[in-house]
Amino acid sequence: MSIVFERPHALIDKPLHYCPGCTHGIIHRLVAEVMDELGIEGNTVGIASVGCTYNSYEYFNCDMIQAAHGRAPAVATGVKRSLPGKNVFTYQGDGDLAAIGTAEIVHAATRGEKITTIFVNNAIYGMTSGQMAPTTLIGQVATTAPFGRKPELHGYPIRVSEMLSTLEGAVYVERVAVNNVANIKKAKAAIKKAFQVQLAGLGFSLVEVLSTCPTNWGLNPPKALEWLEENMIPHYPLGNFKDVQLPEQK
Amino acid sequence: MGEKILMKGNEVIAEAALRAGCRHYFGYPITPQTEVAHYMARKMEQIGGTFVQAESEVAAINMVYGAASAGVRAMTSSSSPGISLKQEGISYAAGAELPMVIVDIVRCGPGLGGILPAQCDYFQMVKGGGHGDYHLVVLAPQSVQEMYELVVDAFNIADKYRNPVVVMGDGYMGQMMEAVEFRDEEKIERYEKPWAACGSDMKRDHNVITSIYIEADVLEAHVNKLYAKYKAIEEAETRVEVYNCEDADVIVTAYGTCARVVRNVIKDAAKMGIKVGLIRPITLWPFPSEAFRQYANVPKGFLCVEMSKGQMIEDVRLALNGQNTVSFYGRTGGNVPAQKDILEEVLKIARG
Amino acid sequence: MAKVTFREERCKGCKLCINACPKKIVIIKEDVLNAKGYHPAGVSDPEKCIGCAFCATVCPDCVITVER
């Protein structure tokens, strides 16, 4: 018998601090599997953002840089412009990317920085215990929208993938989810393509990954996956919003 | 030394950085320093370096953070309001021990203030405008020539100590043209950067650039390590010009543009039989306290002259620790202390 | 034949693997408590395992290794 599934090398063998059932763990593994499969761990630099995954630099085996809240795309720009031959990715949550870091992600995308962004959307601030995020849904309860999000008070949730897909510099933008096996496989394919887009130097690539937050959604992990399917996917439709042809593999 | 060229201060900053081997500039337009960006935009494209006009100063300093993390020489330049925006990034860079050069061409404040020259960023730069215990090396040129020399030195000091270094001029130095003589051979000090996040090539454990340490003892040990570094910098890198202070009656202290005006006041006072000395800090941090202590008993005391309401004066008083009086004369809003007005203050003190 | 191994000390008892298993053989071992205080997951009838790795795919903590 041979091993058909194991921890990827690019994911350091240590316990993850994430809550039970938090799907950040799955997304970390997918990114690491893609690094292994493309054989790029040795020439990749990852940028950790601020939120639950502030210390993702402890989990990815490639060189890592911890960025200030919202600034990962700018840090990534600095790295990629300095080391054009290396692969650079940011791993960011919805507060980091779509609240404080909106300018940074929009301009990194519109500049066509040849970086890859893994944007994890769980519609809440996890690390700081459940505040409303830019992607919190209408009616969704959060510690700063205690009676549910109301447009007249809290405005509307942002559809990041659609927004960024209008920018020419963003050549590959896909939204995926990790709430079941089939979606996880599609998510991995999208993450792989995003890295391949970068390898081919085609421009900016982003994968938005719908993810769960059992603790702050107040649901047990399996229920959280259902909630994601029934509530998030209708508002954040899965699929490709910007595609690009990869050069023929010789 | 090469031949003398008449050149604008802001352009000399950029040229000096290029000569120091900097190939990565990230900036944002703000008067009165934008010519640094113009020069960099042109030159970097010609030599295949990096010029990025960021979406904000916040983004720019974080791009420098990324480039420095990757192990290359990188810089940004801005002016007072833009520097305020960069303070968070600067604190992160100090915490992550990242070498970089930050040029501040000071303009008058607070708020939008004005676009004229001033020295009212002293607190922001020297006392640390960002959060946490940290220091930046702050170099204060007084001429376009010295600006060139200090920008080159700034990159060496930054790499030597893995620390951000600031070159703080003012709108005059940025905008005016003066003769500058470039060295034929630039003294670039190379330092190994095994810590850089530039790709492990699978030959080493991964490198991590971070400024967060969750456990108290670990963070405290880290900050103590920073402070041991700052002590070493104080001992090795403090720079000051002491001029005409032997048995002076009064000692004036000033830096940058103000120090140049004081030089003429010294001549005027001499004709009136009053010997005036000048202590000109060149490093604002580490502050040259020793120089002040050495002349602490100057008979008529000290006069501190700044283009602000008095910021460096606090460090002068701290250095003297009450051993002598320190008067203040300053102009702000973009005004410069005039020679005759400084002379008047000196006479008041000398005859007081 | 296929074989799954659970690193019980890493499991957080989140139960995502239970629903994912097409053979419905993944269970929570109520009689076991790992150092973190979770009841780890495990397999009730190992011989029914087809090595599809669905359980491992949905596991957020790389608890499960699959051989086939």
Side-chain angles (χ1 to χ4, degrees):
Chain A
M1 281 208 288
S2 60
I3 291 182
V4 294
F5 194 103
E6 62 180 329
R7 179 187 52 76
H9 182 270
L11 195 64
I12 292 176
D13 183 8
K14 64 192 299 189
L16 301 178
H17 74 283
Y18 302 120
C19 306
C22 166
T23 47
H24 266 308
I26 298 174
I27 303 162
H28 279 37
R29 193 193 71 233
L30 297 182
V31 172
E33 283 172 355
V34 165
M35 276 199 263
D36 281 9
E37 284 164 30
L38 297 175
I40 56 171
E41 179 197 312
N43 55 23
T44 296
V45 179
I47 318 294
S49 57
V50 170
C52 285
T53 62
Y54 79 90
N55 66 334
S56 58
Y57 56 78
E58 286 183 29
Y59 304 130
F60 289 119
N61 230 334
C62 56
D63 279 356
M64 292 294 292
I65 301 170
Q66 208 282 322
H69 195 31
R71 315 310 172 197
V75 173
T77 298
V79 177
K80 188 71 179 192
R81 294 293 185 118
S82 307
L83 305 170
K86 305 290 176 179
N87 307 299
V88 181
F89 72 92
T90 72
Y91 189 104
Q92 301 174 255
D94 40 45
D96 190 273
L97 181 136
I100 189 171
T102 315
E104 278 75 13
I105 195 66
V106 165
H107 285 278
T110 204
R111 282 195 305 268
E113 297 295 347
K114 299 178 181 61
I115 60 175
T116 299
T117 287
I118 308 299
F119 163 42
V120 179
N121 175 3
N122 61 8
I124 199 103
Y125 278 66
M127 164 64 95
T128 43
S129 73
Q131 293 74 24
M132 181 178 65
T135 50
T136 294
L137 299 174
I138 301 300
Q140 185 180 346
V141 171
T143 48
T144 46
F147 310 107
R149 181 172 194 171
K150 298 184 180 64
E152 65 277 15
L153 287 179
H154 314 113
Y156 296 87
I158 299 175
R159 292 192 181 90
V160 170
S161 292
E162 288 83 342
M163 182 175 77
L164 293 181
S165 63
T166 65
L167 303 171
E168 275 145 274
V171 298
Y172 179 71
V173 178
E174 183 120 359
R175 180 182 292 124
V176 297
V178 283
N179 61 316
N180 59 46
V181 174
N183 280 349
I184 289 170
K185 294 204 157 134
K186 284 191 212 129
K188 178 173 173 178
I191 291 170
K192 188 165 192 177
K193 172 137 189 194
F195 272 94
Q196 287 168 320
V197 164
Q198 177 175 170
L199 283 165
L202 300 175
F204 175 80
S205 52
L206 175 138
V207 178
E208 176 179 354
V209 187
L210 301 187
S211 183
T212 62
C213 182
T215 300
N216 289 300
W217 290 359
L219 299 166
N220 68 50
K223 272 272 175 295
L225 293 185
E226 282 166 31
W227 191 86
L228 183 150
E229 180 130 13
E230 285 148 19
N231 299 280
M232 286 189 73
I233 292 179
H235 188 77
Y236 301 109
L238 305 184
N240 181 285
F241 295 89
K242 200 69 165 301
D243 212 349
V244 68
Q245 200 59 34
L246 286 174
E248 295 314 312
Q249 281 351 69
K250 291 221 190 7
Chain B
M1 291 286 253
E3 80 297 332
K4 286 202 171 194
I5 310 168
L6 194 59
M7 218 170 156
K8 188 174 198 137
N10 282 334
E11 295 189 342
V12 167
I13 292 168
E15 181 57 28
L18 294 169
R19 285 167 171 271
C22 169
R23 288 295 175 273
H24 303 277
Y25 173 87
F26 308 89
Y28 190 84
I30 184 166
T31 304
Q33 63 76 54
T34 316
E35 292 85 356
V36 181
H38 300 172
Y39 195 90
M40 282 298 197
R42 198 169 57 247
K43 287 282 186 174
M44 286 299 194
E45 199 164 329
Q46 289 166 340
I47 60 173
T50 298
F51 166 80
V52 176
Q53 182 178 321
E55 57 272 25
S56 73
E57 287 94 345
V58 174
I61 188 72
N62 279 286
M63 290 176 187
V64 177
Y65 183 97
S69 299
V72 302
R73 285 193 158 184
M75 74 172 282
T76 186
S77 64
S78 188
S79 174
S80 311
I83 295 289
S84 298
L85 285 172
K86 291 178 194 283
Q87 288 295 355
E88 184 204 29
I90 290 171
S91 168
Y92 271 68
E97 295 193 87
L98 289 175
M100 59 177 67
V101 172
I102 300 149
V103 172
D104 178 7
I105 296 301
V106 182
R107 67 190 242 180
C108 44
L112 200 46
I115 57 170
L116 296 173
Q119 296 181 323
C120 47
D121 278 13
Y122 183 95
F123 283 156
Q124 161 168 234
M125 278 284 107
V126 175
K127 297 298 170 182
H131 56 290
D133 295 308
Y134 69 93
H135 283 295
L136 307 176
V137 177
V138 181
L139 304 171
Q142 66 168 350
S143 66
V144 171
Q145 177 69 31
E146 196 175 32
M147 193 129 68
Y148 150 59
E149 289 161 7
L150 292 182
V151 165
V152 174
D153 291 349
F155 278 100
N156 291 335
I157 295 169
D159 277 349
K160 183 175 174 185
Y161 296 96
R162 275 189 70 178
N163 210 72
V165 176
V166 175
V167 176
M168 193 166 90
D170 60 46
Y172 281 109
M173 267 178 264
Q175 290 300 325
M176 73 179 157
M177 296 180 81
E178 278 189 311
V180 62
E181 211 172 330
F182 294 112
R183 291 179 276 257
D184 303 330
E185 258 306 297
E186 217 46 77
K187 52 185 179 73
I188 298 176
E189 296 165 14
R190 294 273 171 223
Y191 294 92
E192 284 307 308
K193 296 182 177 176
W195 46 267
C198 52
S200 68
D201 294 330
M202 310 300 270
K203 296 196 183 86
R204 54 165 170 75
D205 285 344
H206 73 166
N207 282 342
V208 174
I209 304 292
T210 183
S211 57
I212 185 164
Y213 301 88
I214 282 287
E215 290 98 19
D217 292 343
V218 176
L219 180 53
E220 186 172 46
H222 174 69
V223 176
N224 289 340
K225 186 184 104 178
L226 296 183
Y227 272 71
K229 174 168 74 171
Y230 300 145
K231 198 159 181 330
I233 294 174
E234 270 171 323
E235 276 143 21
E237 306 297 341
T238 300
R239 299 183 189 188
V240 60
E241 178 191 358
V242 176
Y243 170 69
N244 207 39
C245 287
E246 289 316 318
D247 14 294
D249 304 310
V250 180
I251 290 179
V252 179
T253 179
Y255 68 93
T257 296
C258 283
R260 298 176 68 155
V261 183
V262 169
R263 249 176 249 285
N264 296 331
V265 173
I266 290 173
K267 291 185 196 126
D268 298 343
K271 291 183 195 122
M272 306 160 90
I274 299 167
K275 182 165 185 182
V276 176
L278 165 67
I279 295 180
R280 174 174 78 96
I282 299 169
T283 52
L284 299 182
W285 196 89
F287 191 72
S289 305
E290 215 19 65
F292 290 94
R293 283 195 276 273
Q294 201 181 336
Y295 295 96
N297 40 38
V298 59
K300 294 296 182 182
F302 292 81
L303 170 67
C304 182
V305 179
E306 294 177 71
M307 281 151 60
S308 71
K309 294 305 287 181
Q311 297 188 14
M312 180 174 79
I313 187 168
E314 295 189 3
D315 281 335
V316 176
R317 286 186 174 134
L318 278 175
L320 290 168
N321 204 7
Q323 290 174 58
N324 209 323
T325 58
V326 185
S327 316
F328 175 72
Y329 179 72
R331 298 294 304 273
T332 189
N335 290 310
V336 184
Q339 189 174 324
K340 60 174 175 48
D341 298 333
I342 300 172
L343 178 60
E344 212 180 297
E345 292 300 315
V346 165
L347 296 180
K348 254 194 257 168
I349 295 168
R351 291 175 177 145
Chain C
M1 251 304 280
K3 178 167 164 258
V4 277
T5 26
F6 285 68
R7 262 173 100 168
E8 293 188 348
E9 78 285 1
R10 285 281 174 85
C11 178
K12 295 174 184 167
C14 76
K15 300 182 179 147
L16 295 187
C17 47
I18 294 175
N19 304 347
C21 175
K23 293 294 175 189
K24 296 299 164 218
I25 55 170
V26 177
I27 46 101
I28 287 291
K29 294 179 160 182
E30 301 295 346
D31 53 348
V32 176
L33 210 56
N34 69 15
K36 287 243 168 94
Y38 296 113
H39 293 298
V43 173
S44 55
D45 323 306
E47 70 296 344
K48 286 197 185 132
C49 173
I50 57 169
C52 67
F54 280 13
C55 55
T57 302
V58 300
C59 174
D61 290 280
C62 285
V63 168
I64 306 165
T65 303
V66 183
E67 292 160 278
R68 207 182 29 228

